């Protein structure tokens, strides 16, 4: 993961709802995890968690931070995935079409893909109409 380790630790605590459960998941001791969270809260200047004998819950600022970090994590994961796809030089891609009328549009798109990634093998398949209709029905729910 690209995230700063303390943010990942904070997120693990929020998801576990308990310092001891998060410590176990992270292979840390509960006291060292508590110290990390306390240092992060001190550095940020606000409490992330409310602590109780039942576990921890996010404070309002902690909830806001957690939601934003979830969005950033998804964006970071997507960015890494896109960059990984761009680095692919070999492989194969098969595209199935329900109608041959759509073929020219897809052929242009696939030609552009082939120009950018000449080592990727691209196959275009026209799916027979009854099977294609079933596939569309499944897709549409």
């Amino acid at each position: 993961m690209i995230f700063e380790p303390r943010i990942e630790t904070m997120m693990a605590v929020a998801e576990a709802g308990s310092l001891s459960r998060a410590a176990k998941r992270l292979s840390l001791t509960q006291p060292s995890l508590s110290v990390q969270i306390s240092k992060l809260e001190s550095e940020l200047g606000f409490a992330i968690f409310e602590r109780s004998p039942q576990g921890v819950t996010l404070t309002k600022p902690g909830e806001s931070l957690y939601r934003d970090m979830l969005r950033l994590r998804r964006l970071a994961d997507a960015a890494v995935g896109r960059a990984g796809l761009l680095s692919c030089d070999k492989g194969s891609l098969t595209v199935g079409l329900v109608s041959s009328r759509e073929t020219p549009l897809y052929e242009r798109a696939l030609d552009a893909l082939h120009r950018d990634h000449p080592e990727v093998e691209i196959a275009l398949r026209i799916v027979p109409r009854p099977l294609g209709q079933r596939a569309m029905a499944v897709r549409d729910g």
Side-chain angles (χ1 to χ4, degrees):
M1 174 43 49
I2 300 175
F3 269 29
E4 205 266 344
R6 293 178 301 167
I7 296 295
E8 286 292 340
T9 299
M10 179 274 299
M11 294 178 76
V13 172
E15 290 159 5
S18 158
L19 288 167
S20 58
R21 281 192 300 268
K24 194 176 288 188
R25 285 184 194 168
L26 296 169
S27 300
L28 297 171
T29 65
Q30 190 271 329
S32 69
L33 179 59
S34 293
V35 168
Q36 285 184 35
I37 294 298
S38 293
K39 284 182 178 179
L40 180 59
E41 289 175 322
S42 177
E43 187 177 310
L44 294 173
F46 58 85
I48 300 169
F49 297 103
E50 291 178 6
R51 292 146 177 88
S52 74
Q54 291 76 33
V56 296
T57 56
L58 289 164
T59 61
K60 286 196 184 282
E63 285 178 28
S64 177
L65 178 65
Y66 178 74
R67 280 193 310 272
D68 288 343
M69 289 299 115
L70 278 176
R71 281 192 285 273
L72 288 173
R73 180 194 277 168
R74 284 192 294 269
L75 285 171
D77 289 346
V80 169
R82 281 190 302 276
L85 287 175
L86 291 173
S87 71
C88 291
D89 291 333
K90 295 183 179 176
S92 63
L93 172 67
T94 302
V95 177
L97 299 173
V98 175
S99 169
S100 61
R101 290 188 312 240
E102 300 171 21
T103 304
L105 172 66
Y106 284 102
E107 284 177 346
R108 286 193 300 277
L110 294 173
D111 284 345
L113 177 65
H114 182 68
R115 265 193 318 276
D116 294 342
H117 302 280
E119 298 299 317
V120 175
E121 180 183 323
I122 302 169
L124 187 60
R125 302 245 194 298
I126 306 296
V127 179
R129 183 53 99 178
L131 179 59
Q133 288 171 338
R134 282 193 298 259
M136 296 296 280
V138 168
R139 183 200 73 190
D140 294 337

